[in-house]
Amino acid sequence: MSDDDTNTENDLKGLHTRLLRSTSVAALGKLDRAFHELEGRELKALSRPTASFMAVAPKDLAERAAEMLLEQFAQAKTDAQYDGLTGLHNVKALDTHLSNVISAYKRRHNAQYATNSEKNHQPAVLFIDVDSFKALNDTYGHDKGDVLLKNIADALVQHKRPLDFVARKGGDEFIVVLKDITPERTEANPHPEESIVNRYKDLIRDIKVDIGNGQSVACPISVGIKIIDNDDTPESAIKAADENMYADKPKGIGRGSAERLIITQKTPDTPAPPSAG
């Protein structure tokens, strides 16, 4: 913990002690709940000026002071779960969600009286990587790269089913946790992995960023999928999906490649034919 974090924590401990001595029962309950839930990075979201204000708040403002601390803590918890650029869930939220999904699957699969249908309801992890993203940033600027990431995030959210989960892993990498791929399976397509991957490629293929002069740029994506098995962990599932994604890249094209940016020229509007005189 840095000196700033230590000082902030000490400020909050001092505030906690003062309000324990002087506040109402209602405020005490709120403050106690917030204080004991604070941990690690969430402390950084609590401003020292606010803590200092609350430490000298008159008695009649003690309950409001506790409410302010709770509001800040709630915002810190929210910030800790979401990616600031895209609004998607972040890695911390992904780890929690995927762990819960895998645990639920294992409970169903290993239940004494589980039917084959219940055992076959498998979740899956998709690992999506934006090819040539570094080239996009280097050539046209990071602001264009940010726009592309936001557009991809929006498309993934709009495309997902209600129980699916979308997260930004970091940089140009996204993870989609599919709650259940059973509906994808048919007699004609008992192994739907390829069709799922292709569907996501089709979804993102045409997402473009305007670069001016009537031109736009797009980056293709590489996608890997891992269907959850009974012996999987969140770490092993993401690692396998990552490996499958990397294998999906064309030969000779790796992460950070400066190839494959897709530039398109906007077709000029066709002028309307002159009206008959």
Side-chain angles (χ1 to χ4, degrees):
M1 181 179 287
S2 69
D3 290 342
D4 283 346
D5 289 340
T6 300
N7 291 336
T8 300
E9 187 170 19
N10 288 337
D11 284 346
L12 292 169
K13 286 179 178 177
L15 163 67
H16 183 248
T17 301
R18 288 184 182 90
L19 290 182
L20 283 180
R21 296 192 189 117
S22 63
T23 191
S24 67
V25 173
L28 173 61
K30 292 177 182 178
L31 180 64
D32 223 31
R33 187 167 76 253
F35 179 81
H36 289 296
E37 286 178 347
L38 288 173
E39 61 179 351
R41 284 175 291 181
E42 280 95 24
L43 282 171
K44 295 181 181 178
L46 296 169
S47 68
R48 273 227 207 115
T50 302
S52 298
F53 162 75
M54 289 189 284
V56 299
K59 261 190 176 183
D60 59 345
L61 293 181
E63 188 164 348
R64 177 55 186 154
E67 289 172 357
M68 289 175 66
L69 182 58
L70 273 177
E71 289 167 5
Q72 285 193 303
F73 174 67
Q75 185 60 51
K77 294 292 282 185
T78 297
D79 293 343
Q81 297 290 319
Y82 291 92
D83 173 58
L85 176 65
T86 64
L88 297 178
H89 293 285
N90 63 14
V91 174
K92 183 175 181 179
L94 170 65
D95 290 344
T96 300
H97 179 81
L98 185 54
S99 179
N100 291 338
V101 167
I102 291 177
S103 296
Y105 167 70
K106 289 182 178 181
R107 284 196 299 272
R108 292 195 308 272
H109 187 272
N110 298 324
Q112 184 176 358
Y113 300 107
T115 64
N116 286 334
S117 175
E118 289 171 327
K119 290 183 178 182
N120 289 333
H121 282 221
Q122 287 178 285
V125 175
L126 280 172
F127 198 117
I128 298 171
D129 180 76
V130 182
D131 296 329
S132 308
F133 185 70
K134 183 177 185 299
L136 172 63
N137 280 336
D138 290 348
T139 307
Y140 300 105
H142 288 265
D143 57 330
K144 300 298 184 185
D146 287 349
V147 170
L148 181 68
L149 294 178
K150 290 176 184 178
N151 290 346
I152 290 174
D154 289 344
L156 291 173
V157 169
Q158 291 169 14
H159 180 74
K160 80 177 188 69
R161 300 169 302 181
L163 294 179
D164 293 342
F165 183 93
V166 182
R168 182 185 178 200
K169 189 173 185 295
D172 58 351
E173 296 174 339
F174 298 87
I175 300 287
V176 181
V177 179
L178 303 174
K179 179 73 172 180
D180 180 14
I181 64 161
T182 304
E184 308 278 352
R185 290 193 174 108
T186 64
E187 289 186 9
N189 187 26
H191 302 288
E193 294 92 331
E194 184 176 356
S195 61
I196 294 172
V197 165
N198 287 337
R199 189 170 71 244
Y200 275 85
K201 285 186 175 181
D202 290 342
L203 172 70
I204 297 175
R205 179 177 289 118
D206 294 327
I207 295 178
K208 302 173 183 177
V209 176
D210 185 0
I211 55 174
N213 298 321
Q215 291 184 318
S216 60
V217 63
C219 296
I221 64 169
S222 297
V223 183
I225 187 170
K226 173 62 172 76
I227 297 178
I228 301 299
D229 294 318
N230 198 42
D231 57 351
D232 269 318
T233 64
E235 294 78 14
S236 70
I238 290 176
K239 180 180 178 182
D242 183 13
E243 291 171 350
N244 292 336
M245 177 277 298
Y246 195 73
D248 182 56
K249 291 180 180 290
K251 188 175 181 180
I253 300 294
R255 289 187 180 86
S257 169
E259 306 295 334
R260 301 181 73 207
L261 283 178
I262 301 170
I263 311 296
T264 56
Q265 184 76 37
K266 183 179 178 182
T267 303
D269 295 332
T270 303
S275 57

